[in-house]
Amino acid sequence: MKTVHLIQHTHWDREWYFTENDSKILLYYFIRDLVNRLEQDTALGPFVLDGQTVVLEDGLQVAPALRERLQALIRQGRILIGPWYTQTDFLVVGAESITRNLLLGKADCDAWGGYMPVGYVPDSFGQSAQLPLFLREFGIGCAVIWRGWCEQDVPYSEFTWCSQNGSRVTTAVLPWGYGCAKWLPTEGEQAARLLPAILEKQARFSLTDHLLLPNGNDQSPFEYGVPAMLASLKESQQDYQFARSSFTDFFKALQATGCPLPEWHGELLSAKYMRVHRGIFSTRMDIKQLNARLERFVSQALEPLLAVAGRLGLPCPQQAVENIWRGAMKSQAHDSIGGCNADRVNSMVKARLCDGLESAQQLFELNMAMLAEGITAQQTGKKIIVFNPLPHARDAHVRLTLYTPHADFCIVDAAGTPCRWQLLHDEPQDMSLIVQELSNSTTTTWYRKCDILLEAGALPACGYQTFYLQEGRAAGFDASTAGENVLENCWLRLELAHGQLELLDKRTQQRYPAVLRLVDGGDAGDNYNYSPPPEDWKISSDGCLTQWHSARGPLHDTLTLNWHIPAPADAAAREARCCNAGLHATLILSLPHDQPWLDVEVEVNNTLRDHRLQVEIPVGVTQAFHYADQPFGLIQRENQPAALQQWQAENWAEAPASLWPMQSLVMLHNGARGLCVVTEGLREYEIPAQQPDTLAITLFRSVGWLGKADLPWRPGRASGMALPTPDSQLPGPYRAHFALFPLAQAPDAPFWRAVEQWRTPACGYLDTGWSRFRTNPHGLHFPGRYSLLSWDCALHFSTLKKAQHSNALLLRGWNPGLTPVPCGQPAATGTPRRVTLAETPAGATDDVIPPGTPVSWLID
């Protein structure tokens, strides 16, 4: 006899085709009904509240009087909560966001008095290979998932899942989803006719006689009559024993069988039985970029600065930082960050991210201003504070915005030695828009707004250095001059010839012709999935260069290319092969004098609809696999999924397209030749089937529907709703930023150090003495140069922040490559202790860190 574990639950999307306002109003009635039913019948429960504590947070906004009753049920184990704060995405969202999601979710569970120790992920659009790592770091040994699994990866729906560093969790799949047993009849005879087919499907891939039966669905109320109905079937059949259960009880029963479980290593992205919606990696790319910017700025600029400021005696606004993270996580839920929402919802997702970035930038500027206030000037002029968040000293080029009434200015260090800088942009600025005191003036105060790049040498580790702006004094070096059609430094040479770009790696003499070619094709898909038109007509930038100019500067040389690409305005024009519109695009290519990378900015004015714009980067390496980054690691993937040959014959739910997610990096190399692309917020790449030696980075795609039916790459019903989403066409200006890193050999320590330099820039602040807001003097005194700690090792910096539950500092790095590296111990005032991502003692540790592994230190 098989044991059926009834799991009663709801899957609570905060927003989707409806807004969070809609769901909160519904939540009032849902929570009230759930509490009443459980209190009226003590035999009912447990009930899984979707594994995310944000449901409780939202619920108390509309039903605060229910707090004590809810808490009592949670403490009794009749309502199961956690471990997540929100049901996040795992392929688009960054590693620090996933970590903080569990950290805040666990803190919420502790406050409520209950905790479901199961990594419940019912609806993420594909599963990261690193999910076992995150769960194990938080002491969670079990996971329940849905999308991405199929028996061709691992033959059973119960298995041991291993992450890159060997972390292991016992995993159960809901092969037919969390809603496979929704809306069960409460009358026994009807249920007896319906259930056998459901249970037969549930048992199809099961390794043992223990089956999960999830009873619930999207925003569904408690089906309180189901347990009694199942109990009534006890006498009428002999095949199944039904138990009101939980995921924890299911895993206990699974373990008690003693049945050995198969192992799986890697990600789960199969679309054989369920859609994984591979197009979400590039849907609403503006939202993806904003989220990436917020994640990086908070974890790698704001929090490190607050750690430094806190050790110097300034207050730490920890609750404000936590509020920023919680707001971001509400926009990182699988639908929200996926962009597969109604336009109104996408506007709210974007607004939350903008709100978080505004708060983070204000915190950063106020703390920089307070640091500057406490520093005794060693030179004349206005103080410039340059902050280096990395835990090792470095030289850096720092972007700064200066406001000055003078035609000339000089920047010097603490010893009075002039520094080199390069003017990037110069325009007049009405200062009444910047300084509140000038807003009521009867005359306009005009300054120059100068965006510059400052050469800052020997910046201290996790610290700052003071420079000085001396206005009215000549810079003391030659400014930019006109250049030629070639950019060149010690490592690289880029040449423009006949409208195309060729990159030369001078270390190996390897040439990369026709790099950075813009290609625009049709997109007949929706917010969930890219789908090529039945007969696509692709337009490229070949022959469309209208003008170019270059400049040689003190710090880097630039080449600017302008294209006007005739193109079809929409799907109908593309089908008719009619170029009735145009795509205006600008590429700004910068080659620093002191680094082995080519910096690329793309600016596009998007007036087209129903299309996808990619930049193609031929590598000239043909092999079966490539590498991309994933949360806290690097993953090897096949260039062309083998399942492409069989998906249609087997009636898969969705094509296993060669569209892949990345955190920020993809590379194709063979040890002698190769290219790595590192991006700022771009999350999708492709290796086209007809161009297996080419990396195609998706800049953005434009679609006009939330869901469409019968797509060639996704047959059948529409995903979501057949709802127009004109904002998802992304009309107007669009900007993307990335860099090319040629590989002279297999990735080594200098390569990874250069990648870290590009991904984690130093930050600058000019203390003008003017401010939008004023604070009273704090009376503290700070040195002009300061380093909080150092940790000079091969690990990449992840964050430096205040610990969650104490005044200690938390420092984290991770191994970005594919070989083990030593990590050493940070040099800091205080005793560093290794801890987990959960900030609990790490137990036995090793100085050699495996690939794909984070290392966290708690420093008192």
Side-chain angles (χ1 to χ4, degrees):
M1 179 179 288
K2 298 181 186 298
T3 300
V4 178
H5 294 258
L6 176 68
I7 308 294
Q8 295 199 276
H9 74 96
T10 190
H11 177 55
W12 202 267
D13 296 299
R14 295 186 72 252
E15 57 197 1
W16 180 14
Y17 59 91
F18 50 83
T19 70
E20 66 169 294
N21 301 320
D22 295 325
S23 71
K24 283 180 183 177
I25 297 304
L26 178 62
L27 192 58
Y28 169 80
Y29 297 97
F30 166 83
I31 288 184
R32 186 173 180 274
D33 176 71
L34 175 65
V35 169
N36 286 339
R37 300 288 181 185
L38 290 174
E39 288 178 340
Q40 289 165 9
D41 186 349
T42 57
L44 292 177
F47 186 89
V48 177
L49 201 57
D50 204 32
Q52 52 176 340
T53 61
V54 73
V55 180
L56 292 166
E57 182 180 301
D58 287 346
L60 289 189
Q61 289 186 19
V62 292
L66 294 178
R67 174 186 284 275
E68 291 185 4
R69 295 166 66 191
L70 268 171
Q71 190 152 29
L73 291 166
I74 290 168
R75 286 175 172 167
Q76 294 164 18
R78 299 181 64 209
I79 294 179
L80 303 178
I81 64 170
W84 307 101
Y85 174 62
T86 60
Q87 281 288 350
T88 189
D89 175 273
F90 293 94
L91 300 173
V92 170
V93 166
E96 279 298 328
S97 288
I98 298 170
T99 301
R100 308 310 177 85
N101 199 311
L102 278 169
L103 200 62
L104 293 178
K106 183 61 166 61
D108 287 350
C109 290
D110 290 343
W112 280 96
Y115 183 57
M116 184 173 74
V118 177
Y120 180 51
V121 184
D123 206 20
S124 180
F125 298 148
Q127 312 297 333
S128 168
Q130 293 286 72
L131 182 58
L133 164 75
F134 286 99
L135 297 178
R136 271 298 176 189
E137 288 275 319
F138 278 82
I140 299 171
C142 303
V144 175
I145 62 172
W146 173 29
R147 299 182 193 265
W149 171 91
C150 84
E151 82 282 9
Q152 292 169 355
D153 293 327
V154 58
Y156 298 103
S157 54
E158 299 83 31
F159 57 93
T160 298
W161 190 5
C162 305
S163 64
Q164 190 175 7
N165 74 340
S167 297
R168 303 158 66 90
V169 294
T170 303
T171 305
V173 177
L174 305 174
W176 312 108
Y178 55 82
C180 66
K182 62 187 177 184
W183 307 127
L184 290 177
T186 56
E187 199 279 323
E189 288 187 9
Q190 293 181 34
R193 292 192 296 269
L194 179 68
L195 274 171
I198 294 174
L199 295 173
E200 209 171 291
K201 286 185 71 175
Q202 289 298 92
R204 178 178 170 187
F205 300 111
S206 181
L207 184 60
T208 73
D209 287 338
H210 289 273
L211 309 179
L212 285 171
L213 186 66
N215 170 228
N217 200 43
D218 299 340
Q219 293 77 50
S220 62
F222 180 25
E223 296 184 45
Y224 59 89
V226 169
M229 176 273 292
L230 292 178
S232 73
L233 297 179
K234 183 177 180 180
E235 304 300 330
S236 62
Q237 54 82 40
Q238 303 300 318
D239 296 324
Y240 302 104
Q241 174 184 341
F242 296 97
R244 290 184 296 106
S245 190
S246 67
F247 292 124
T248 300
D249 289 342
F250 169 81
F251 284 113
K252 288 178 181 177
L254 181 65
Q255 183 181 20
T257 66
C259 187
L261 302 179
E263 288 191 1
W264 171 250
H265 299 254
E267 60 193 352
L268 290 165
L269 295 178
S270 174
K272 183 174 183 179
Y273 298 112
M274 66 293 288
R275 298 170 174 183
V276 294
H277 302 308
R278 277 179 119 111
I280 65 155
F281 311 141
S282 55
T283 298
R284 287 303 301 258
M285 196 66 89
D286 57 332
I287 290 175
K288 305 288 193 301
Q289 290 176 311
L290 187 59
N291 175 69
R293 184 181 171 195
L294 177 59
E295 287 177 322
R296 185 201 64 78
F297 185 74
V298 174
S299 63
Q300 298 192 329
L302 174 61
E303 288 181 319
L305 177 67
L306 293 177
V308 167
R311 284 297 169 99
L312 290 172
L314 292 172
C316 182
Q318 186 62 20
Q319 189 59 52
V321 176
E322 183 174 306
N323 291 343
I324 292 171
W325 276 116
R326 287 182 183 268
M329 289 168 199
K330 290 173 183 175
S331 290
Q332 291 169 349
H334 56 283
D335 289 314
S336 303
I337 195 63
C340 42
N341 309 295
D343 279 347
R344 164 68 174 148
V345 173
N346 279 333
S347 70
M348 297 172 77
V349 170
K350 189 172 183 177
R352 279 196 298 268
L353 295 171
C354 288
D355 289 347
L357 198 54
E358 279 181 352
S359 297
Q361 288 172 334
Q362 186 60 238
L363 274 173
F364 188 87
E365 289 182 11
L366 284 173
N367 276 270
M368 282 291 228
M370 287 188 284
L371 280 178
E373 175 193 328
I375 294 171
T376 301
Q378 295 175 278
Q379 298 291 330
T380 59
K382 296 173 181 174
K383 284 173 273 194
I384 295 174
I385 310 300
V386 175
F387 177 66
N388 172 29
L390 294 180
H392 53 80
R394 64 161 162 173
D395 300 332
H397 292 169
V398 186
R399 295 186 76 110
L400 273 170
T401 298
L402 309 179
Y403 300 97
T404 178
H406 296 274
D408 295 317
F409 58 85
C410 179
I411 298 175
V412 302
D413 63 17
T417 305
C419 303
R420 294 192 304 167
W421 51 268
Q422 185 165 337
L423 184 65
L424 304 176
H425 183 70
D426 187 0
E427 66 180 21
Q429 175 67 57
D430 177 0
M431 292 303 291
S432 67
L433 302 177
I434 307 296
V435 183
Q436 186 178 5
E437 287 89 336
L438 297 177
S439 59
N440 294 322
S441 176
T442 57
T443 60
T444 302
T445 302
W446 289 98
Y447 272 35
R448 293 173 63 202
K449 179 183 179 183
C450 301
D451 293 323
I452 71 164
L453 203 62
L454 171 66
E455 184 177 54
L459 293 175
C462 282
Y464 64 83
Q465 184 168 322
T466 310
F467 298 83
Y468 300 88
L469 172 67
Q470 298 180 340
E471 298 169 287
R473 177 183 171 187
F477 56 85
D478 293 333
S480 298
T481 59
E484 302 174 353
N485 64 329
V486 173
L487 302 180
E488 188 168 8
N489 65 12
C490 296
W491 301 272
L492 308 176
R493 174 185 168 91
L494 182 76
E495 182 175 3
L496 174 66
H498 309 295
Q500 290 196 332
L501 295 162
E502 180 175 86
L503 183 63
L504 169 67
D505 188 341
K506 296 165 67 174
R507 297 164 292 186
T508 61
Q509 296 306 305
Q510 295 284 343
R511 294 182 179 274
Y512 301 91
V515 295
L516 303 174
R517 179 173 177 260
L518 294 178
V519 177
D520 187 75
D523 191 337
D526 53 24
N527 285 28
Y528 287 95
N529 284 84
Y530 163 75
S531 190
E535 294 184 14
D536 200 3
W537 184 40
K538 292 191 174 182
I539 308 294
S540 79
S541 56
D542 294 349
C544 298
L545 185 65
T546 57
Q547 62 179 7
W548 65 271
H549 63 87
S550 66
R552 300 193 184 281
L555 305 183
H556 69 206
D557 300 336
T558 59
L559 177 62
T560 302
L561 312 175
N562 290 302
W563 281 297
H564 175 69
I565 306 171
D570 52 25
R574 194 174 296 269
E575 184 178 4
R577 299 294 195 269
C578 173
C579 287
N580 56 348
L583 200 62
H584 295 272
T586 298
L587 249 68
I588 305 168
L589 311 174
S590 303
L591 190 66
H593 295 172
D594 62 347
Q595 294 290 354
W597 68 64
L598 177 68
D599 193 87
V600 183
E601 293 182 75
V602 184
E603 297 175 354
V604 177
N605 182 28
N606 182 35
T607 59
L608 311 182
R609 299 180 297 280
D610 314 319
H611 71 118
R612 180 183 69 170
L613 184 64
Q614 293 181 312
V615 57
E616 288 188 352
I617 304 166
V619 183
V621 171
T622 302
Q623 60 187 25
F625 58 88
H626 64 279
Y627 300 93
D629 61 347
Q630 60 179 344
F632 290 139
L634 198 67
I635 190 168
Q636 178 180 303
R637 294 187 175 123
E638 55 184 347
N639 291 0
Q640 297 298 317
L644 276 171
Q645 308 304 316
Q646 65 198 56
W647 78 277
Q648 289 175 306
E650 295 181 355
N651 295 314
W652 282 35
E654 180 185 309
S658 186
L659 294 168
W660 302 102
M662 59 179 166
Q663 293 284 291
S664 66
L665 176 152
V666 58
M667 57 184 170
L668 181 60
H669 69 88
N670 61 10
R673 173 188 179 90
L675 288 174
C676 174
V677 184
V678 185
T679 76
E680 186 182 23
L682 301 180
R683 294 301 207 225
E684 180 185 274
Y685 68 92
E686 179 182 20
I687 297 182
Q690 289 73 38
Q691 301 163 271
D693 68 339
T694 297
L695 294 172
I697 309 299
T698 304
L699 298 178
F700 66 91
R701 64 190 193 96
S702 301
V703 292
W705 289 86
L706 172 55
K708 294 170 68 176
D710 291 321
L711 300 180
W713 283 9
R714 197 195 66 215
R717 64 172 179 84
S719 287
M721 299 285 168
L723 182 71
T725 54
D727 289 354
S728 291
Q729 298 282 7
L730 285 190
Y734 175 83
R735 177 186 173 274
H737 184 208
F738 58 93
L740 296 187
F741 289 74
L743 286 155
Q745 55 190 4
D748 56 11
F751 166 81
W752 287 116
R753 179 57 62 95
V755 168
E756 184 181 43
Q757 284 268 57
W758 191 89
R759 281 200 288 210
T760 313
C763 312
Y765 173 80
L766 172 66
D767 182 35
T768 62
W770 286 349
S771 177
R772 181 177 298 175
F773 306 113
R774 289 188 176 276
T775 58
N776 283 328
H778 51 63
L780 301 174
H781 299 280
F782 309 132
R785 176 186 172 90
Y786 179 77
S787 174
L788 175 59
L789 54 83
S790 65
W791 190 27
D792 197 352
C793 64
L795 301 185
H796 273 198
F797 176 67
S798 185
T799 196
L800 170 67
K801 71 178 192 76
K802 180 188 172 297
Q804 184 70 21
H805 300 295
S806 72
N807 289 323
L809 296 180
L810 189 287
L811 173 65
R812 183 159 37 246
W814 55 284
N815 183 351
L818 293 172
T819 57
V821 295
C823 74
Q825 180 171 301
T829 301
T831 304
R833 292 174 286 122
R834 285 274 288 274
V835 294
T836 65
L837 294 179
E839 302 183 18
T840 57
T845 58
D846 195 335
D847 183 58
V848 177
I849 308 305
T853 304
V855 175
S856 303
W857 295 94
L858 205 63
I859 304 171
D860 294 323

